[in-house]
Amino acid sequence: MGFFDVPAAYAQEGPFGAFPIVITCENKGTQLAFYFSKLAKDGTATYLATDRLAGTITLGGHAQAVGGSEGGSCLGKTLEQLRASGQAHDLKP
């Protein structure tokens, strides 16, 4: 079981082709780096930062905080918006 079990759109290029490796957000005046951690079968990507902070996002959805309502400058943004604002950082060859 691995990332190849997800829908075909993701499996062709693996999760690193569809999702950024790092998403940076500001929360309460602190800059945080959320690292791509997991891609569920339903296409939900989970990102983790220090202090047990986590968030999720899908290719067509909005960033959500996990376990709380605080999400800082990423909350509610799409991947397209995060890329446009310079907050999404892709893995480059």
Side-chain angles (χ1 to χ4, degrees):
M1 188 179 269
F3 65 80
F4 292 109
D5 297 329
V6 298
Y10 309 129
Q12 290 180 355
E13 50 188 29
F16 296 112
F19 290 95
I21 191 72
V22 174
I23 297 175
T24 56
C25 306
E26 181 184 346
N27 189 19
K28 297 181 182 179
T30 300
Q31 293 293 328
L32 299 165
F34 287 81
Y35 295 91
F36 181 52
S37 175
K38 174 176 86 171
L39 182 60
K41 285 185 179 185
D42 68 357
T44 301
T46 301
Y47 287 80
L48 302 174
T50 60
D51 300 331
R52 298 182 185 194
L53 297 174
T56 61
I57 195 165
T58 60
L59 289 178
H62 296 84
Q64 299 177 15
V66 172
S69 60
E70 294 184 32
S73 64
C74 293
L75 190 63
K77 290 185 179 178
T78 64
L79 283 175
E80 184 177 302
Q81 291 169 322
L82 290 167
R83 284 190 170 103
S85 66
Q87 292 175 269
H89 308 276
D90 295 304
L91 184 65
K92 296 181 182 174

